[in-house]
Amino acid sequence: MKLNPHQAPLYGKVVITVQLCDEEQTEDEEGEEYFLLFSGSSQSHLTSALWSGHDTLRTLCPAHDCCEAVQVTLCRARPGHPPACDPPVSVVAVAEQRFNFVQDLAFDMAQFLVSTAGRPDGLEGALLLDECQIPLEECERLDESLSLALRHLDLPDGWNLLGTHLRNKPQETLVHFAARRGLKRVAVWLLLQPGAPEALRLTNRQGATPASIAQQRSHRDLHSLLTKAETKTYRGKVHPSSTGSRVVCNLPRLNTHTLTVGTAPGTAPPTLQRLVEELRPLVRVSCEPLVAP
């Protein structure tokens, strides 16, 4: 097995290709599926993999909770054989390889921005971006990577967009920052955080609200979003579904699913067999064609 790339940002959203060598390939069997298990120190991720060639699989790199090298196991799952069918699916490990999760510039920037919330002049450094003419394409890339990094940050207890103590005096907030650069995805995440209603109404030292800044900068979609939020007609959506320490995510574009399971210190991680049995039904349901009534 050959993974490309060998490392990825903590917050995921990187497509990984898996090239199989000859001895790892088998003849196609009905119901056969492939999965990748990323085994970390406190999290395990099982993600489905789809064929993109006769010897190549593709999957989405999961979001991890820390920088570390993890063990990646490629496994093959086949339906159990009747009449017993116990277990209902046969899971076999095919190959293993090491993989590194790294902290990139977007994650560093997300940590910096979160740390500035509520601090006097905390965003003065970020305002320097106003002096730079960043191309639209680069702003869109920043919006996507920064929003993903923010979504996967472990926020401090009691964190608020205006700091630990709500402030009514003029200040530059993270919502103002997103409005200046037209970072719509970042703004969507911010609107779901504590203190968002207050931040939307708060003016900075120039007397501008986030919505008025977006309007001045001709970020029409973002201005519409912030205006709806001000009038409480905006409702955000949280896409991952979670239960306890388990989170299931689906990427429709690739039609891949990822099951993330947290492991408490001193406890054994779930077995590969158990994880596959839990994720496999979700994958099969999403692949079933819709039938008209």
Side-chain angles (χ1 to χ4, degrees), residues 1-6 70-73 95-99:
M1 174 181 69
K2 181 180 180 181
L3 292 182
N4 183 24
H6 290 283
V70 303
Q71 187 76 20
V72 180
T73 303
E96 291 185 343
Q97 186 173 315
R98 300 295 286 177
F99 187 87

Side-chain angles (χ1 to χ4, degrees), residues 110-122:
Q111 287 184 317
F112 164 74
L113 291 174
V114 166
S115 71
T116 65
R119 286 170 41 194
D121 302 324

Side-chain angles (χ1 to χ4, degrees), residues 99-290:
F99 187 87
N100 291 316
F101 283 100
V102 298
Q103 185 164 325
D104 67 349
L105 181 59
F107 206 87
D108 289 338
M109 187 174 183
Q111 287 184 317
F112 164 74
L113 291 174
V114 166
S115 71
T116 65
R119 286 170 41 194
D121 302 324
L123 282 172
E124 289 299 322
L127 286 175
L128 293 176
L129 287 175
D130 274 353
E131 305 298 327
C132 306
Q133 296 297 321
I134 303 177
L136 177 60
E137 184 178 347
E138 292 301 320
C139 282
E140 291 175 349
R141 290 176 182 171
L142 173 64
D143 191 19
E144 182 175 8
S145 59
L146 183 56
S147 63
L148 286 170
L150 286 167
R151 281 169 49 192
H152 292 97
L153 270 186
D154 187 13
L155 297 175
D157 292 338
W159 185 84
N160 190 291
L161 287 178
L162 304 183
T164 54
H165 302 288
L166 296 182
R167 302 171 183 268
N168 294 321
K169 60 182 181 181
Q171 64 171 290
E172 189 82 12
T173 70
L174 293 178
V175 188
H176 288 82
F177 167 78
R180 289 182 184 280
R181 303 312 316 179
L183 305 179
K184 185 178 179 181
R185 293 183 179 90
V186 171
V188 168
W189 181 85
L190 293 172
L191 292 177
L192 299 175
Q193 307 311 312
E198 294 82 3
L200 282 165
R201 296 191 296 267
L202 200 62
T203 60
N204 61 12
R205 293 177 181 177
Q206 289 72 45
T209 65
S212 65
I213 290 177
Q215 184 178 35
Q216 294 167 8
R217 299 298 179 91
S218 299
H219 302 310
R220 296 182 179 84
D221 290 344
L222 182 51
H223 174 252
S224 176
L225 173 71
L226 296 175
T227 301
K228 290 180 180 178
E230 284 183 334
T231 57
K232 299 183 179 179
T233 58
Y234 168 77
R235 294 292 182 270
K237 296 181 180 179
V238 179
H239 296 286
S241 59
S242 62
T243 303
S245 61
R246 284 169 149 69
V247 179
V248 178
C249 297
N250 169 238
L251 182 67
R253 182 170 59 89
L254 279 181
N255 196 26
T256 59
H257 293 72
T258 301
L259 169 62
T260 296
V261 179
T263 305
T267 62
T271 64
L272 178 59
Q273 178 77 33
R274 178 182 168 186
L275 290 173
V276 170
E277 289 178 358
E278 188 171 344
L279 182 61
R280 188 168 173 266
L282 300 176
V283 176
R284 297 185 69 82
V285 167
S286 69
C287 294
E288 290 178 357
L290 296 177

Side-chain angles (χ1 to χ4, degrees), residues 1-41:
M1 174 181 69
K2 181 180 180 181
L3 292 182
N4 183 24
H6 290 283
Q7 64 181 32
L10 293 176
Y11 52 83
K13 291 296 182 182
V14 173
V15 176
I16 295 177
T17 59
V18 183
Q19 186 171 5
L20 306 182
C21 59
D22 292 340
E23 57 267 24
E24 294 166 350
Q25 300 180 47
T26 61
E27 295 183 5
D28 292 340
E29 291 192 16
E30 186 176 356
E32 184 177 81
E33 298 158 287
Y34 282 85
F35 297 87
L36 281 179
L37 175 64
F38 297 76
S39 303
S41 58

